[in-house]
Amino acid sequence: MAVSTKFYAIVAGVGPGTGRSVAIRFSEAYPVILLARSPESYKDVVAEINKGGRKAIGITADATDESALKSAFETIKKELPDLKLAAAIFNVRPNSRPSIKPFLELSIKDLDTSLKGNIHGFFNFGQAVVPLLLDSVATSPLPPSLLITGATASLRGSKLWSVVAAGKSGQRILAQSLAREFGPQGVHVAHAIIDGRIDVPDATHYPRNDETPEGTISPYAIAESYWYLHTQHKSAFTQELDLRPHVEKF
Amino acid sequence: MAVSTKFYAIVAGVGPGTGRSVAIRFSEAYPVILLARSPESYKDVVAEINKGGRKAIGITADATDESALKSAFETIKKELPDLKLAAAIFNVRPNSRPSIKPFLELSIKDLDTSLKGNIHGFFNFGQAVVPLLLDSVATSPLPPSLLITGATASLRGSKLWSVVAAGKSGQRILAQSLAREFGPQGVHVAHAIIDGRIDVPDATHYPRNDETPEGTISPYAIAESYWYLHTQHKSAFTQELDLRPHVEKF
Amino acid sequence: MAVSTKFYAIVAGVGPGTGRSVAIRFSEAYPVILLARSPESYKDVVAEINKGGRKAIGITADATDESALKSAFETIKKELPDLKLAAAIFNVRPNSRPSIKPFLELSIKDLDTSLKGNIHGFFNFGQAVVPLLLDSVATSPLPPSLLITGATASLRGSKLWSVVAAGKSGQRILAQSLAREFGPQGVHVAHAIIDGRIDVPDATHYPRNDETPEGTISPYAIAESYWYLHTQHKSAFTQELDLRPHVEKF
Amino acid sequence: MAVSTKFYAIVAGVGPGTGRSVAIRFSEAYPVILLARSPESYKDVVAEINKGGRKAIGITADATDESALKSAFETIKKELPDLKLAAAIFNVRPNSRPSIKPFLELSIKDLDTSLKGNIHGFFNFGQAVVPLLLDSVATSPLPPSLLITGATASLRGSKLWSVVAAGKSGQRILAQSLAREFGPQGVHVAHAIIDGRIDVPDATHYPRNDETPEGTISPYAIAESYWYLHTQHKSAFTQELDLRPHVEKF
């Protein structure tokens, strides 16, 4: 598949794991925009993609910040004036480490970090990309897609993960609402439950599934799943799937 | 059952429906604190309970506001200096009408209203009452209980209810986390999915289940369920139950 | 509450645990029929209830056997000619110990035991009692109820419990179908997920919740929950609740 | 991808919809065995695959019948003596039309048809193929896979679908048990919830997604999803996914 000259993809939330792999995978088909809070997060993968003869553009922006996101999309319009959006991946983590603590040791700030990163962030991203995806429905060869990275905590609470689970579950149900609203209009909204620890490969070759340590999830395998979701025919959309290492207890 | 002289109950979120009925039901066993954002919401039911020879105290406070809640509990300590907390019911609604709109017509303010009322509010309330409930475990005849009012939107998203569902589902999973953390310590955390429209009785007699219009839920019946949850033996706690009119489709 | 002279209850599946406790609890309000595959299972509890001045009748019948069940209801009609059915509890276990084995060591006979006990049994019981419960809707003070004992395996499969889980999950969904069909007609169908090991008390005093070993479920507490479900107002039926020891991980 | 000379696939349950499309899709990679109760069900698709230069063998057998299934696998051993099993798809329907009726109009025979087709059938098929799939783990390029066709009724009961839902939900949980038992041993067990009406194409060209009537699911799209599941890396297995038309309400 040649890289599209009419459509691009955007990956919000790029680090060394899922975001990087998804950006590489989608760059096989589309010019890819990488959004991250700091250039350190995307600069290596942007270089890696561009070196391979494909196209990637890194933009520094906090996806949970409405105006930063707005300005990012203005930049995209300048950089890729004739391209429409085919796929948007929301893979953003809250902007500080999650607070894995007993409930009574948590502060409202811990809660805010989770809600802001998971729910506000996805809300803002959704409001920015859904109109662009709707605008691509008539012409995109593959159904325009909004894909969200969920986790075990998206489905259930637990002793130490109370605020993380509150944020992830709210994000999941928000994504489900969007699927119900925009599926009939032709946009594919899908949520992936990543149930296990993700391997962070220390090398740059692709794919490296075979070198994934037993019990961890290969980010390349996640990327394949996201690509598959994007390719699903509109008569058979998946709204949610789980992904876990074959040895994972569940 | 005589009204306790050692324990009290608190109902956060009192209006003419569920909150009022729950307060009346628990006042049969405990002095009851009623929290609401304005005295209009609780003054009639406080009068009704006190007129009946039982005890109710109304306190004006926004349960979603950390410091207002703190000050409310200082007032309670002055009013009921020797009593411990046996049951806390969280029945608070966001402080403005929910935004039932297409996703692209929603603003971040609509989202904030839902998250603040549902998740922040419950988080603050939980942080205030859990230590008090833990302190009652050794002496309370019934397991100290934290009961939460959920809704259909706690379980699933839908086209027009995206931000409401994000808030309610996050609240539900937060409650589930608290159940997993504090159940083993003796506190009963239970979540009720209210799946249907609640009748708002226009009279003050109690109970009036029989006069509930077909297809609506009697708030007195909800109150009975909450009381039942509070009475469950610690060897058989319910974490979640649904409540719906017998004619409701589900 | 005096024992009814117009309605009776039936408990299918009586052993020393849940069935016995439920029969005792419902005998406070109704003459109770106890069904079991052998008189050994019910004779002590029948004696215990009758000795206490209430009324119990034991009938030997395999509730999974259509004709045995038919004949049991003919016996009931002779014994209690003027009474209608107010509550039916299905607490039957398959007629041999469940096969907790690796999948490849199971035989089709193991599967049949689970399906016959759990699904056929409940199907036959449902077909026998639903018409009787419907016939009581107009006159029963409490909504006529069909209550089913479920388990953790009703919700999820696991490595060694494959055939048990297949049977219990099929039973649960069958119960859910009946709730959706007969709720609107006034019959309350509710399913309880018993998530933990049930204590089998070795004495006959009632209630003995306080002597339940930590980590096990008191069958008396289960019985209270079943009674509560039966008392729910038709404007607020519960279709499913979970019951577990406060220390149980879930 | 050339057709394998070392591995084959088997599709149990072949008709004009999903089974045919899945057989065609897997025949691109493997010789394919098609099992059906009568040759009419498979003969056209077997001819179609063989005409295309790929390989298909039809075997007449009722997959719900233990001995018929045993004899089918003996035939396979003779036909493909050196090949191992890479993928087994269970797409069998009960052997008569499902009984979509009010509960009180159903007979035990209706129940048996559902349980036998859905649960016994899958149990027998699982017992036959799991040892073969385990035997392929060490050498198969793609993780040996057992894929099951589920439906909306696998997740929930409803008024008229009580016995269908009992059978499908029991089948789903049985599949989940197998996933938990055999995933760690390298076999991928995945269950697809087909939530919508499947289009039955009247022509033989492949693929014809574009001609699927709005609101129906293309069986070719289902086949693509099954193939994708088979290709998933063992570090990121999906256990369950849903498939529905983009316009379907859910």
Side-chain angles (χ1 to χ4, degrees):
Chain A
M1 185 174 180
V3 173
S4 177
T5 56
K6 298 193 177 153
F7 294 92
Y8 71 98
I10 181 167
V11 180
V14 177
T18 305
R20 174 181 167 276
S21 298
V22 171
I24 293 173
R25 181 66 186 84
F26 278 70
S27 76
E28 295 178 19
Y30 301 113
V32 179
I33 304 293
L34 290 82
L35 281 191
R37 288 188 193 89
S38 93
E40 277 64 46
S41 298
Y42 61 69
K43 68 178 202 296
D44 287 354
V45 58
V46 165
E48 183 183 344
I49 292 172
N50 285 322
K51 197 170 56 186
R54 299 197 293 251
K55 178 158 191 173
I57 299 169
I59 299 180
T60 307
D62 182 343
T64 66
D65 176 333
E66 204 174 355
S67 67
L69 208 55
K70 200 171 174 184
S71 138
F73 277 95
E74 282 161 10
T75 304
I76 295 169
K77 195 146 200 180
K78 274 177 218 150
E79 296 274 349
L80 305 171
D82 302 322
L83 273 60
K84 291 190 170 191
L85 182 62
I89 292 94
F90 188 77
N91 185 54
V92 175
R93 296 179 182 210
N95 67 3
S96 56
R97 300 207 58 75
S99 304
I100 313 303
K101 289 191 220 168
F103 177 66
L104 295 176
E105 295 175 20
L106 291 164
S107 69
I108 199 83
K109 198 168 159 297
D110 295 311
L111 177 65
D112 272 331
T113 298
S114 174
L115 300 190
K116 202 165 157 44
N118 291 309
I119 311 185
H120 282 90
F122 176 59
F123 180 92
N124 284 333
F125 187 72
Q127 291 219 324
V129 301
V130 165
L132 303 177
L133 294 167
L134 287 169
D135 185 47
S136 301
V137 167
T139 54
S140 173
L142 295 172
S145 306
L146 171 54
L147 309 176
I148 303 99
T149 301
T152 317
S154 305
L155 290 179
R156 61 199 307 276
S158 61
K159 194 175 161 171
L160 298 175
W161 291 71
S162 60
V163 293
V164 176
K168 290 302 286 182
S169 59
Q171 181 191 64
R172 171 180 178 255
I173 295 296
L174 182 52
Q176 198 187 79
S177 296
L178 298 200
R180 292 193 162 106
E181 182 167 359
F182 299 108
Q185 300 179 46
V187 173
H188 186 186
V189 182
H191 183 257
I193 305 281
I194 312 294
D195 183 18
R197 200 160 57 81
I198 299 168
D199 178 43
V200 178
D202 54 8
T204 55
H205 297 299
Y206 170 75
R208 294 173 30 98
N209 279 338
D210 291 349
E211 301 179 21
T212 304
E214 184 87 345
T216 64
I217 306 180
S218 163
Y220 300 118
I222 296 175
E224 278 306 321
S225 288
Y226 283 27
W227 178 253
Y228 156 71
L229 287 167
H230 179 47
T231 67
Q232 283 189 318
H233 185 250
K234 70 176 178 175
S235 82
F237 278 173
T238 290
Q239 208 286 298
E240 188 162 83
L241 52 70
D242 50 300
L243 291 170
R244 68 175 61 77
H246 76 108
V247 296
E248 183 80 11
K249 290 214 169 175
F250 70 107
Chain B
M1 187 172 180
V3 174
S4 177
T5 56
K6 297 192 177 156
F7 294 92
Y8 71 98
I10 181 167
V11 180
V14 176
T18 306
R20 174 182 168 275
S21 298
V22 171
I24 292 172
R25 181 64 186 86
F26 278 70
S27 76
E28 294 178 21
Y30 303 112
V32 178
I33 304 293
L34 290 83
L35 282 190
R37 289 189 192 88
S38 94
E40 277 63 46
S41 299
Y42 62 69
K43 68 177 203 296
D44 287 353
V45 58
V46 165
E48 183 182 346
I49 291 172
N50 286 322
K51 196 172 56 188
R54 300 197 293 252
K55 180 160 189 172
I57 297 168
I59 298 180
T60 307
D62 182 343
T64 66
D65 176 334
E66 203 174 357
S67 68
L69 207 54
K70 201 173 174 182
S71 138
F73 278 96
E74 281 161 11
T75 305
I76 295 169
K77 195 148 200 177
K78 273 177 218 151
E79 295 276 349
L80 305 171
D82 302 321
L83 273 63
K84 293 189 168 191
L85 183 62
I89 292 93
F90 188 77
N91 184 55
V92 176
R93 295 179 182 209
N95 67 4
S96 56
R97 300 207 59 76
S99 304
I100 313 304
K101 288 192 221 166
F103 178 66
L104 295 176
E105 295 175 19
L106 291 164
S107 70
I108 198 82
K109 198 167 158 297
D110 295 310
L111 176 66
D112 271 331
T113 298
S114 174
L115 300 191
K116 202 166 157 44
N118 290 309
I119 311 185
H120 283 90
F122 177 58
F123 180 92
N124 284 333
F125 187 71
Q127 290 219 323
V129 301
V130 166
L132 302 177
L133 293 167
L134 287 169
D135 186 47
S136 300
V137 169
T139 54
S140 172
L142 294 171
S145 305
L146 171 54
L147 309 176
I148 302 98
T149 301
T152 316
S154 305
L155 290 179
R156 60 200 308 275
S158 60
K159 193 175 163 173
L160 297 175
W161 292 71
S162 61
V163 295
V164 176
K168 290 303 285 182
S169 59
Q171 181 190 65
R172 172 181 177 254
I173 294 295
L174 181 54
Q176 197 187 79
S177 295
L178 299 200
R180 292 192 162 106
E181 181 168 359
F182 298 109
Q185 300 180 44
V187 173
H188 186 184
V189 181
H191 182 259
I193 305 280
I194 312 294
D195 183 18
R197 198 159 58 81
I198 300 168
D199 177 44
V200 178
D202 54 9
T204 55
H205 296 298
Y206 171 77
R208 296 171 30 98
N209 280 338
D210 291 348
E211 301 179 22
T212 304
E214 185 86 346
T216 65
I217 307 180
S218 164
Y220 301 117
I222 296 175
E224 279 305 320
S225 288
Y226 283 27
W227 178 252
Y228 156 72
L229 287 168
H230 179 47
T231 67
Q232 283 189 317
H233 185 249
K234 70 175 177 175
S235 82
F237 278 171
T238 290
Q239 208 284 301
E240 188 163 85
L241 51 70
D242 50 300
L243 291 169
R244 70 175 59 79
H246 77 110
V247 296
E248 183 81 12
K249 289 214 169 178
F250 72 106
Chain C
M1 185 174 180
V3 174
S4 175
T5 56
K6 298 193 176 154
F7 294 93
Y8 71 98
I10 182 167
V11 181
V14 176
T18 305
R20 174 182 168 275
S21 298
V22 171
I24 293 172
R25 182 64 185 86
F26 278 70
S27 77
E28 294 177 21
Y30 302 112
V32 179
I33 304 292
L34 291 82
L35 281 191
R37 288 188 193 90
S38 94
E40 278 64 46
S41 299
Y42 61 69
K43 68 176 203 293
D44 288 355
V45 59
V46 165
E48 183 183 345
I49 292 172
N50 285 322
K51 199 170 55 187
R54 300 196 292 251
K55 179 159 189 172
I57 298 169
I59 299 180
T60 307
D62 182 343
T64 67
D65 176 334
E66 202 174 355
S67 68
L69 207 56
K70 200 173 174 180
S71 140
F73 278 95
E74 283 162 9
T75 304
I76 294 169
K77 194 148 201 176
K78 274 176 216 151
E79 296 275 349
L80 305 172
D82 303 322
L83 273 62
K84 292 189 169 191
L85 183 61
I89 293 95
F90 188 77
N91 185 54
V92 176
R93 295 178 181 210
N95 67 3
S96 56
R97 300 205 58 75
S99 303
I100 313 303
K101 288 191 223 169
F103 177 67
L104 295 175
E105 295 175 19
L106 291 164
S107 70
I108 197 84
K109 200 168 157 297
D110 294 312
L111 176 66
D112 272 331
T113 299
S114 174
L115 300 191
K116 204 167 155 42
N118 290 310
I119 310 185
H120 282 89
F122 176 58
F123 180 92
N124 284 333
F125 188 72
Q127 291 217 325
V129 301
V130 165
L132 303 178
L133 294 167
L134 287 169
D135 185 47
S136 300
V137 168
T139 54
S140 172
L142 295 172
S145 306
L146 171 54
L147 310 176
I148 302 99
T149 301
T152 316
S154 306
L155 290 179
R156 61 199 308 273
S158 61
K159 192 175 163 173
L160 298 174
W161 293 72
S162 59
V163 294
V164 175
K168 290 302 288 182
S169 59
Q171 181 191 64
R172 171 179 178 256
I173 294 297
L174 182 52
Q176 197 187 80
S177 295
L178 299 200
R180 291 192 163 105
E181 181 167 0
F182 299 108
Q185 300 180 45
V187 174
H188 185 185
V189 182
H191 182 258
I193 304 280
I194 313 294
D195 183 19
R197 199 160 58 81
I198 298 168
D199 178 42
V200 178
D202 54 9
T204 56
H205 296 299
Y206 170 75
R208 292 170 35 94
N209 279 339
D210 291 349
E211 301 179 23
T212 302
E214 183 87 346
T216 65
I217 306 181
S218 165
Y220 300 117
I222 296 175
E224 278 306 321
S225 287
Y226 284 26
W227 179 253
Y228 156 72
L229 287 167
H230 180 47
T231 65
Q232 283 188 317
H233 185 250
K234 70 175 178 175
S235 82
F237 277 172
T238 290
Q239 208 285 299
E240 187 162 85
L241 53 67
D242 50 301
L243 291 170
R244 69 175 60 81
H246 76 109
V247 296
E248 184 81 10
K249 289 213 169 177
F250 71 107
Chain D
M1 185 173 179
V3 174
S4 177
T5 56
K6 297 193 177 152
F7 294 92
Y8 71 98
I10 181 166
V11 180
V14 177
T18 306
R20 173 181 169 276
S21 298
V22 171
I24 293 172
R25 182 64 185 84
F26 278 71
S27 76
E28 295 178 20
Y30 303 112
V32 178
I33 304 293
L34 289 82
L35 281 191
R37 288 189 193 89
S38 94
E40 277 63 46
S41 298
Y42 62 69
K43 66 178 205 294
D44 288 353
V45 58
V46 165
E48 183 183 344
I49 292 172
N50 286 321
K51 198 172 55 187
R54 299 198 292 251
K55 179 160 188 172
I57 298 169
I59 298 181
T60 307
D62 182 344
T64 67
D65 176 333
E66 202 174 356
S67 66
L69 207 54
K70 201 171 173 180
S71 139
F73 278 95
E74 282 161 10
T75 305
I76 295 169
K77 194 148 202 178
K78 274 177 216 150
E79 296 276 350
L80 306 171
D82 302 322
L83 272 63
K84 292 189 168 190
L85 182 62
I89 292 94
F90 188 77
N91 185 54
V92 176
R93 294 181 182 207
N95 67 2
S96 56
R97 300 206 58 77
S99 305
I100 313 303
K101 288 190 221 170
F103 177 66
L104 295 175
E105 294 175 20
L106 291 164
S107 69
I108 197 83
K109 198 168 159 297
D110 295 311
L111 176 65
D112 272 331
T113 298
S114 174
L115 299 191
K116 202 166 157 44
N118 290 309
I119 312 185
H120 283 89
F122 176 58
F123 180 92
N124 284 332
F125 187 71
Q127 290 218 324
V129 301
V130 165
L132 302 177
L133 294 168
L134 287 170
D135 186 47
S136 301
V137 169
T139 53
S140 173
L142 294 172
S145 305
L146 171 54
L147 309 176
I148 302 97
T149 302
T152 316
S154 305
L155 290 180
R156 62 198 308 275
S158 60
K159 192 175 163 174
L160 298 174
W161 291 72
S162 60
V163 295
V164 175
K168 290 302 285 182
S169 59
Q171 180 190 65
R172 172 180 178 255
I173 295 295
L174 181 52
Q176 196 187 79
S177 295
L178 299 199
R180 291 193 162 106
E181 182 168 358
F182 298 110
Q185 300 180 46
V187 173
H188 186 184
V189 182
H191 182 258
I193 305 280
I194 313 294
D195 183 20
R197 200 160 57 81
I198 299 169
D199 177 44
V200 178
D202 54 9
T204 55
H205 297 298
Y206 171 77
R208 293 170 34 94
N209 280 338
D210 290 349
E211 301 180 22
T212 303
E214 184 87 343
T216 65
I217 307 181
S218 163
Y220 301 117
I222 297 175
E224 279 306 321
S225 288
Y226 283 27
W227 179 253
Y228 156 71
L229 287 167
H230 179 47
T231 66
Q232 283 188 319
H233 186 250
K234 70 175 177 174
S235 82
F237 277 173
T238 289
Q239 209 287 299
E240 188 163 85
L241 51 70
D242 51 300
L243 291 169
R244 69 176 60 79
H246 77 108
V247 295
E248 182 81 11
K249 289 215 168 176
F250 71 105

